[in-house]
Amino acid sequence: MAVGVFDSGLGGLTVHEAIAARMPDLPLVYYGDNANAPYGVRDSDDIYQLTCRGVERLWAEGCDLVILACNTASAAALRRMQETWIPEGKRVLGVFVPLIESLTERQWGDNTPPREVAVKHVALFATPATVASRAFQRELAFRAIGVDVEAQPCAGVVDAIEQGDELLAEALVTSHVEALKRRMPHPEAAILGCTHYPLMQSTFQKALGESVKVYSQANLVAESLEDYLARRPEFVGSGTRSAYLTTGDPKRVSGKATQFLRHAISFESA
């Protein structure tokens, strides 16, 4: 009854942790494509091919449902996968929609026309590829009108996190927030549009100020998944084991994951 969690590297562990806390009896298989991280500077065809390869590996583990806990993959690959590639009996879900539903105060499956919402000025922090895709703005437009979104590509942050350099990551986050605030001085809400970024959430919050509500995806995705599986239990796969898989060096990746999450995690080769 396993579910797969895919990410380009370590960031999706924030989603994995939230799902495990909410559904402790659900086996989860995590796949980190650390050998090819970061995805945020790759082109869309490259991201698509790498994402398909990782999803197929999770299917082989008995995970009929895979969460793309990677905003770049969700932005650059998910729609193409859903339209042309995913076979019957399998599902691949992204991480944008639960976030946007929370921001716009909509329930799952609410397909009524877009309407005005309370938040008018939103800062989006994401990888360069996610920003270039405009996937967040596209999904938001289906649900809300009159929302000004200012997007900041946060080059270097994922690399610093993957390398375990917290001081560099903090400095880069502060710099990117300052750059955005020069264009949007008073955002009401901020979207952490990369699952690596919750690892730096306190730094984002400090740079933005306490008046800005910061949305990160992990708990929202976990809540949405629990609801989805209650409605569609047939997509709980046949796998029975939990595992952490990586395309990188398992020892090194295990050490970095343990460092950031502050409890022991042991990866094996994908």
Side-chain angles (χ1 to χ4, degrees):
M1 53 176 291
V3 167
V5 180
F6 170 92
D7 190 66
S8 62
L10 296 177
L13 289 170
T14 60
V15 174
H16 179 284
E17 294 269 295
I19 294 172
R22 194 171 189 94
M23 292 173 278
D25 296 327
L26 177 68
L28 294 171
V29 182
Y30 184 87
Y31 177 102
D33 191 12
N34 301 79
N36 296 299
Y39 279 15
V41 295
R42 294 180 176 274
D43 65 47
S44 58
D45 284 340
D46 199 13
I47 295 166
Y48 175 78
Q49 296 296 334
L50 291 169
T51 303
C52 288
R53 185 189 308 167
V55 169
E56 285 183 320
R57 179 66 181 86
L58 288 166
W59 285 343
E61 286 285 329
C63 303
D64 292 344
L65 170 63
V66 175
I67 304 296
L68 296 188
C70 173
N71 286 268
T72 302
S74 293
L78 180 58
R79 176 171 287 193
R80 181 175 168 188
M81 294 170 74
Q82 290 175 332
E83 291 176 349
T84 65
W85 183 74
I86 300 170
E88 189 174 350
K90 308 287 188 185
R91 284 289 187 276
V92 179
L93 303 176
V95 289
F96 274 131
V97 172
L99 184 69
I100 292 171
E101 287 173 345
S102 177
L103 180 68
T104 58
E105 299 180 346
R106 288 207 175 203
Q107 298 299 313
W108 190 94
D110 180 351
N111 294 317
T112 56
R115 59 178 181 260
E116 296 242 0
V117 295
V119 175
K120 301 297 184 185
H121 304 286
V122 176
L124 169 65
F125 298 96
T127 66
T130 297
V131 170
S133 75
R134 293 188 62 80
F136 177 84
Q137 290 91 325
R138 184 176 61 244
E139 293 290 344
L140 181 64
F142 291 142
R143 296 164 178 83
I145 57 175
V147 180
D148 179 23
V149 177
E150 188 66 50
Q152 174 66 32
C154 297
V157 175
V158 170
D159 305 73
I161 291 172
E162 290 285 330
Q163 292 161 13
D165 193 335
E166 294 184 64
L167 289 176
L168 176 59
E170 288 176 359
L172 287 168
V173 166
T174 301
S175 175
H176 288 309
V177 171
E178 289 173 351
L180 181 134
K181 289 178 76 173
R182 286 195 288 270
R183 304 191 304 276
M184 179 182 277
H186 303 292
E188 298 165 88
I191 304 299
L192 303 189
C194 173
T195 48
H196 284 73
Y197 297 174
L199 296 168
M200 308 303 300
Q201 184 163 346
S202 62
T203 305
F204 275 102
Q205 187 73 72
K206 181 179 178 181
L208 286 161
E210 291 303 318
S211 65
V212 179
K213 182 171 182 178
V214 176
Y215 290 81
S216 63
Q217 293 161 309
N219 290 328
L220 296 172
V221 170
E223 181 181 351
S224 181
L225 176 62
E226 184 178 45
D227 178 63
Y228 186 89
L229 292 177
R231 290 180 289 101
R232 304 297 300 273
E234 68 271 23
F235 287 111
V236 178
S238 60
T240 57
R241 77 168 187 141
S242 292
Y244 297 93
L245 309 176
T246 179
T247 58
D249 173 43
K251 184 176 180 181
R252 180 182 181 278
V253 174
S254 298
K256 297 302 181 187
T258 298
Q259 174 186 345
F260 272 98
L261 294 179
R262 292 173 171 76
H263 65 83
I265 289 180
S266 180
F267 276 82
E268 59 189 80
S269 292

